[in-house]
């Protein structure tokens, strides 16, 4: 049944707040009330928040446009409010509930990204570096950060990067649509020279186009790329992802990468404003989990993971994989993929995981994802366990989302903000978004991030499906034990998997932006690391 409400004048804010909290207090009496109260509370919250403000890069804050007074907001729950089984609806005592939200001890690690005393001002520019990024939002962010460091190594002037417009999402966003361009330029003024465009006289000049070698060190850029300036004034990097090694780079270069990724690449003011508003609306329900549910068509097609899907859905994904020329692997055994932990957890498996961790059915969960493959048919099990299941489309009105809704990178940026600010972050798969958010949360104080051990989990879930193991205390104890040390506590970045060679050796390393310790995190009073140490 749709819930409808006309937008009210701002003077009704107090009444809205009182009614919202009254509804949420009723939610404790049952799952049906929980779901209904959640949707109505959000509608009330949104209707009075159209003029909310958030900080822009400088000066006056950017303000979201106010919805028209005649706009009618509709909130609809497509799945009937479920009745929860007793194991999921159990009540927790105060200490047990508090422990669910406590982050792992940070051991006093804090960001330390200031350049060393020996770090000089940018040298005279030898030429211009054009960058064509590739991939989704967070793959592009990592690539841009790497290219800033490369420009520093090469003494080059960096032209504002061109975002990928040709990958799966066909997003036409420009840099300034996604990121705060002025903040980016000003933040890096002591590191590299950044300009918005090439000088007119060089726009049509011959350029040296290169695919920079993946996971390269300083020597590669100084010995093989730098000499290209002798023949051309402009070098174009055809791709930007993974062009720098994760480890063993000069400390000042590593710190520059962190300053770029975690500080300079701030989102555009309109995205920041709505993102912060979404965080406020989630917090109106109390502490919340951000769940990066990577159960989307592109991920399932790429990975070949079809567990739990119909024959028709599996065939559709196989056709997408076959027709995507730059995806090299075509024949994939889905059962083998899943048994090795290479598949994202299904929504049903995520629900079992959260319940086993001890989170009650009243826990607010934000779904950070694009369109879930199969829609509600695959979400019903998760919705049954956790009725306060929200996403940006439920938290914001159509008018608020309209400026961003046709742009995948901008919509992903909203999810990124809500995920970084969440009380607990849980990714169902270790992709670019999951790694970026996990790293950002480490950088901001090792906020609680639970990384599912998918290989171990699917073995347990298969036992539950076959009747060899029941949901309850025994399953919960085993899952809690497996994940006791997978909650975002400080540790050195992991090195390559033993026995791997060549590109696979680099590929198996923990990504630099996923865990910037020790390069960009340190304990006050202890000397900074002189090199990029990793745990082997």
């Amino acid at each position: 049944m749709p819930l409808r409400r006309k937008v009210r004048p701002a003077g009704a804010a107090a009444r809205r707040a009182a009614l919202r909290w009254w509804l949420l207090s009723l939610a404790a009496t049952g799952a049906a009330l929980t779901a209904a109260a959640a949707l109505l509370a959000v509608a009330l919250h949104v209707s009075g928040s159209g003029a909310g403000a958030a900080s822009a890069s400088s000066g006056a804050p950017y303000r979201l446009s106010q919805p028209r007074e005649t706009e009618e907001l509709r909130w609809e729950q497509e799945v009937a409010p479920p009745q929860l089984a007793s194991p999921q609806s159990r009540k927790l005592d105060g200490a047990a509930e508090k422990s669910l939200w406590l982050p792992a001890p940070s051991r006093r690690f804090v960001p330390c990204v200031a350049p060393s005393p020996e770090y000089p001002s940018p040298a005279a520019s030898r030429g211009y570096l054009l960058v064509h990024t590739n991939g989704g939002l967070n793959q592009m962010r990592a690539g841009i950060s790497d290219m800033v460091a490369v420009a520093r190594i090469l003494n080059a002037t960096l032209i504002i990067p061109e975002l990928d417009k040709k990958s799966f999402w066909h997003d036409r966003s420009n840099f300034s649509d996604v990121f705060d361009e002025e903040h980016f330029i000003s933040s890096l003024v002591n590191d590299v020279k950044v300009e918005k465009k090439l000088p007119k006289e060089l726009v049509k000049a011959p350029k040296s186009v290169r695919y920079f070698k993946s996971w390269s060190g300083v020597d590669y850029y100084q010995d093989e790329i730098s000499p290209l300036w002798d023949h051309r004034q402009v070098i174009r990097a055809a791709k930007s992802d993974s062009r720098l090694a994760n480890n063993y780079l000069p400390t000042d270069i590593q710190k520059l990468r962190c300053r770029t990724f975690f500080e300079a690449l701030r989102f555009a003011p309109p995205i920041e404003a709505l993102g912060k508003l979404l965080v406020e609306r989630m917090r109106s329900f109390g502490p919340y989990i951000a769940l990066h549910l990577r159960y989307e068509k592109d991920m399932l097609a790429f990975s070949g993971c079809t567990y739990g899907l119909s024959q028709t859905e599996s065939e559709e994904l196989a056709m997408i994989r076959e027709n995507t020329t730059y995806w090299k692997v075509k024949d994939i055994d889905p059962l083998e993929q899943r048994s090795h932990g290479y598949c994202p957890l299904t929504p049903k498996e995520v629900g079992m995981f959260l319940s086993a961790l001890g989170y009650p059915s009243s826990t607010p969960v934000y779904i950070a994802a694009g369109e879930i493959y199969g829609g509600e048919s695959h979400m019903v099990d998760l919705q049954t366990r956790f009725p306060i299941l929200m996403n940006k489309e439920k938290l914001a009105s159509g008018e608020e989302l309209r400026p961003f809704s046709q742009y995948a990178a901008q919509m992903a940026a909203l999810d990124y903000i809500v995920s970084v600010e969440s009380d607990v972050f849980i990714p169902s798969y270790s992709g670019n978004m999951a790694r970026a958010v996990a790293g950002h949360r480490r950088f901001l104080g090792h906020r609680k991030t639970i990384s599912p051990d998918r290989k171990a989990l699917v073995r347990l879930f298969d036992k539950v499906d076959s009747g060899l193991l029941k949901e309850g205390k025994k399953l919960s104890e085993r899952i809690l034990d497996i994940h006791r040390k997978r909650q975002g506590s400080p540790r050195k970045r992991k090195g390559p998997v033993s026995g791997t060679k060549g590109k696979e050796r680099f590929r198996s390393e923990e990504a630099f932006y996923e865990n910037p310790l020790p390069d960009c995190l340190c304990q006050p009073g202890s000397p900074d690391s002189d090199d990029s140490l990793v745990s082997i």
Side-chain angles (χ1 to χ4, degrees):
M1 178 71 68
L3 296 175
R4 303 180 180 181
R5 180 174 174 84
K6 299 282 188 180
V7 175
R8 302 287 186 186
R15 293 192 297 276
R16 283 195 304 272
L19 180 56
R20 178 171 63 252
W21 290 114
W22 176 73
L23 285 166
L24 290 175
S25 68
L26 287 178
T29 63
L33 277 174
T34 300
L39 294 172
L40 182 53
V42 173
L44 293 171
H45 192 98
V46 172
S47 67
S49 303
S55 297
S57 58
S58 60
Y62 178 89
R63 293 186 178 275
L64 292 166
S65 59
Q66 188 168 9
R68 298 185 300 274
E69 290 189 4
T70 57
E71 182 190 18
E72 186 172 323
L73 303 180
R74 299 184 180 186
W75 305 95
E76 183 174 354
Q77 184 181 27
E78 296 179 3
V79 180
Q83 297 297 323
L84 298 187
S86 57
Q88 284 77 43
S89 58
R90 66 186 185 277
K91 292 185 178 180
L92 303 174
D93 60 46
E97 184 169 4
K98 185 178 179 181
S99 68
L100 293 173
W101 306 102
L102 285 177
S106 67
R107 290 164 39 202
R108 296 172 48 248
F109 275 98
V110 296
C112 49
V113 296
S116 69
E118 295 77 26
Y119 187 74
S121 298
S125 175
R126 294 195 61 198
Y128 295 89
L129 178 62
L130 293 179
V131 174
H132 181 89
T133 60
N134 57 294
L137 173 68
N138 292 291
Q139 189 172 338
M140 291 192 292
R141 288 178 67 238
I144 291 168
S145 301
D146 279 1
M147 289 299 105
V148 168
V150 168
R152 171 76 190 197
I153 293 169
L154 294 172
N155 294 330
T157 296
L158 178 69
I159 302 300
I160 287 292
E162 178 185 349
L163 301 190
D164 189 346
K165 296 178 172 62
K166 295 182 179 180
S167 37
F168 183 89
W169 304 273
H170 299 291
D171 189 331
R172 307 302 298 175
S173 298
N174 293 315
F175 188 95
S176 60
D177 298 321
V178 181
F179 302 108
D180 188 333
E181 190 172 79
E182 299 302 328
H183 175 76
F184 179 76
I185 295 172
S186 62
S187 295
L188 298 172
V189 69
N190 295 319
D191 301 296
V192 296
K193 186 177 182 181
V194 182
E195 294 186 0
K196 295 181 181 181
K197 297 180 180 179
L198 276 175
K200 290 183 179 179
E201 64 271 18
L202 293 179
V203 171
K204 296 184 178 180
K207 301 170 180 62
S208 182
V209 180
R210 289 290 185 275
Y211 286 84
F212 295 163
K213 185 179 176 181
S214 298
W215 296 294
S216 296
V218 170
D219 289 348
Y220 166 79
Y221 287 101
Q222 290 179 340
D223 298 342
E224 297 189 36
I225 302 301
S226 184
L228 297 176
W229 300 123
D230 297 334
H231 309 286
R232 295 283 189 265
Q233 289 181 274
V234 182
I235 297 175
R236 180 180 181 86
K239 286 189 175 182
S240 65
D241 63 324
S242 302
R243 303 299 132 170
L244 268 182
N246 289 307
N247 306 303
Y248 306 110
L249 294 175
T251 299
D252 274 324
I253 292 297
Q254 298 288 59
K255 292 181 183 298
L256 173 57
R257 295 170 84 183
C258 287
R259 292 198 298 275
T260 305
F261 192 86
F262 299 119
E263 296 176 353
L265 277 175
R266 190 159 67 190
F267 293 119
I271 295 173
E272 287 280 332
L274 184 55
K276 291 176 181 178
L277 197 55
L278 295 180
V279 172
E280 289 179 14
R281 291 171 182 174
M282 278 306 299
R283 291 211 183 285
S284 70
F285 305 120
Y288 71 93
I289 293 172
L291 172 63
H292 182 46
L293 190 60
R294 197 67 168 94
Y295 206 73
E296 300 147 317
K297 183 183 288 187
D298 66 305
M299 182 70 251
L300 296 176
F302 175 77
S303 63
C305 295
T306 58
Y307 176 79
L309 300 180
S310 68
Q311 182 66 29
T312 301
E313 290 171 329
S314 300
E315 290 174 355
E316 179 187 22
L317 296 178
M319 185 66 68
I320 293 172
R321 189 168 63 254
E322 183 66 32
N323 293 335
T324 305
T325 55
Y326 53 89
W327 290 354
K328 303 302 182 184
V329 181
K330 304 300 182 182
D331 296 322
I332 300 175
D333 183 336
L335 293 180
E336 185 178 350
Q337 283 283 93
R338 183 170 178 270
S339 67
H340 288 305
Y342 297 154
C343 291
L345 297 176
T346 68
K348 178 181 178 180
E349 291 169 340
V350 169
M352 294 172 68
F353 179 56
L354 296 182
S355 296
L357 290 175
Y359 290 97
S361 63
S362 58
T363 302
V365 178
Y366 179 87
I367 302 296
E371 184 177 353
I372 301 300
Y373 189 56
E376 292 299 336
S377 66
H378 293 305
M379 291 294 288
V380 63
D381 290 296
L382 180 57
Q383 181 84 57
T384 298
R385 292 172 183 267
F386 295 93
I388 310 181
L389 206 61
M390 310 305 293
N391 56 23
K392 50 189 174 292
E393 289 80 10
K394 290 181 180 180
L395 289 172
S397 69
E399 182 167 327
E400 287 172 321
L401 280 178
R402 193 168 295 119
F404 317 102
S405 60
Q406 300 302 310
Y407 305 97
Q410 297 179 47
M411 293 288 273
L414 294 172
D415 283 340
Y416 187 91
I417 292 170
V418 182
S419 297
V420 168
E421 295 299 325
S422 65
D423 298 276
V424 175
F425 174 66
I426 300 177
S428 68
Y429 187 76
S430 55
N432 290 311
M433 167 82 164
R435 289 193 289 266
V437 172
H440 209 145
R441 291 171 67 84
R442 287 180 180 278
F443 188 78
L444 294 175
H446 291 87
R447 297 172 178 177
K448 190 165 191 171
T449 300
I450 304 176
S451 302
D453 184 335
R454 297 187 302 278
K455 186 175 181 179
L457 285 173
V458 297
R459 291 176 181 174
L460 292 174
F461 294 152
D462 284 347
K463 289 183 178 181
V464 173
D465 289 341
S466 65
L468 296 176
L469 182 64
K470 292 184 178 180
E471 281 197 75
K473 185 177 180 181
K474 187 175 181 180
L475 176 65
S476 181
E477 287 176 347
R478 293 181 69 173
I479 287 178
L480 284 170
D481 185 61
I482 291 169
H483 293 86
R484 209 169 302 280
K485 294 184 178 181
R486 300 176 66 94
Q487 301 193 23
S489 58
R491 58 169 175 76
K492 291 181 180 179
R493 192 166 55 256
K494 294 178 182 178
V497 172
S498 178
T500 54
K501 298 180 180 180
K503 282 191 175 182
E504 286 306 313
R505 179 174 175 81
F506 292 111
R507 201 185 304 276
S508 70
E509 293 179 330
E510 186 173 20
F512 175 78
Y513 300 106
E514 182 178 8
N515 183 9
L517 193 157
D519 316 86
C520 305
L521 297 169
C522 58
Q523 295 164 308
S526 64
D528 288 351
S529 172
D530 290 330
D531 53 18
S532 304
L533 298 176
V534 292
S535 296
I536 304 298

